[in-house]
């Protein structure tokens, strides 16, 4: 903590402050088929790709392509398989200097079935041994380097401590532009009710349709309205809902909706939500309205699902 003030001047005055994304990087083995396979059959796939994946990592590479100086912090196994992930971060210019390497671990992996006829992606994920990012890892970061910190809500207790550190750091500033904006993604079902304590820490909360459904909501509007009661005053609550687009509510309580912007043909929906989140963070950090921000998210996500991977077409950036 002591060194934060010393370094504040150097990073503030050179304009080097960046966006930090905290969460998962993993290996995705993506199988593309034109039909969902039958159980106990031997199927030839149209394509099979080994890609870097993970929600936070996907969001990072999209943000970096939008021109945002982006850093990712996550854990990596000290394994040759991690090279693929590191190279991908380098390709997109994402800083990974503070990632934590663990010996004798295997990287987390997902086997994914992309059905190119229906546009669905079915994910089978496993992490057998790699630890998550811990508060002790996060504590080593100089918070003066960041304008925005996005947390993937995974290990709730640790993320809670991390976000509390950022809230405390923000307490020393009077001007809102000096404070770090905090966003939080709650995507995976099964974390309730423990994730509730994270909600009041964030300025922007992203809830997935899976979490919305788990909470008993039938649509994005119901979801954002209900969760807006649990966030801190003035926070923005966002819920993307696949082909129906996305809903959001902000400080004035007005719910806004963006339609989806589907491509001519859906090729790859892996990480559509992560791409959407990057678009929203990008737009809000540039001062766009909440409606403009979710429209930006839907446009970039719509472009992403029209081709394999995370290369973003600059033409979809409208804010
Ligand atoms: P996740 O990848 O987390 O399941 P969603 O499925 O909610 O996320 O998708 C996020 C965004 O991606 C949506 O708001 C929408 O803009 C876009 N999107 C996803 N699937 C489709 C689809 N089938 N058609 C059009 N847009 C889609
Ligand atoms: C997509 C994704 C994949 C990864 C999986 C982890 O949102 O991040 O890249 O394998 O989810 O749950």
């Amino acid at each position: 903590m002591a060194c934060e003030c010393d370094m504040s001047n150097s990073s503030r005055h050179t304009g080097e402050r960046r966006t930090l994304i905290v969460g998962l990087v993993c290996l995705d083995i993506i199988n593309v088929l034109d039909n969902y396979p039958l159980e106990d059959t031997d199927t030839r796939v149209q394509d099979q790709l080994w890609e870097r994946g993970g929600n936070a990592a996907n969001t990072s590479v999209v943000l970096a392509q939008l021109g945002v100086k982006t850093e990712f912090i996550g854990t990596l196994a000290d394994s040759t398989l991690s090279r693929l992930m590191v190279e991908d971060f380098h390709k997109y210019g994402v800083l990974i200097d503070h990632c934590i390497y663990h010996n004798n671990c295997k990287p987390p992996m997902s086997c994914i079935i992309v059905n190119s006829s229906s546009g669905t992606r079915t994910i089978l994920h496993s992490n057998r041994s790699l630890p998550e990012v811990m508060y002790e890892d996060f504590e080593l970061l100089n918070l003066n380097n960041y304008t925005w910190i996005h947390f993937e809500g995974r290990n709730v207790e640790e993320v809670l401590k991390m976000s509390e550190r950022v809230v405390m750091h923000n307490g020393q500033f009077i001007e809102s532009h000096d404070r770090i904006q905090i966003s939080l993604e709650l995507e995976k079902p099964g974390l309730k009710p423990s994730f509730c304590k994270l909600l009041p820490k964030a300025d922007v909360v992203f809830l997935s349709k899976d979490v919305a459904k788990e909470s008993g909501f039938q649509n994005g509007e119901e979801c954002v309205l209900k969760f807006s009661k649990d966030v801190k005053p003035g926070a923005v609550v966002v819920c993307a809902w696949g082909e129906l687009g996305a809903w959001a509510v902000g400080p004035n309580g007005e719910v806004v909706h963006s339609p989806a912007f589907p491509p001519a043909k859906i090729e790859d929906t892996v990480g559509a939500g992560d791409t959407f989140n990057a678009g929203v963070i990008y737009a809000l950090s540039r001062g766009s309205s909440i409606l403009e921000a979710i429209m930006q998210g839907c446009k970039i996500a719509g472009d992403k699902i029209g081709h394999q991977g995370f290369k973003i077409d600059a033409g979809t950036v409208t804010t």
Side-chain angles (χ1 to χ4, degrees), residues 24 26 28 53-55 58 110 112 123 125 187-188 270-271 274:
L24 178 73
C26 65
D28 282 355
N55 289 22
N58 295 337
S110 295
I112 303 182
I123 302 176
H125 182 74
E187 198 225 14
K188 306 279 179 255
V270 178
D274 312 331

Side-chain angles (χ1 to χ4, degrees), residues 121 187 209 240-243 245-246 260 262 266 272-273 276 298 301 305:
R121 92 286 181 263
E187 198 225 14
K209 64 175 179 298
W241 207 285
E243 65 277 15
I266 295 178
F276 168 84
C298 286
I305 65 176

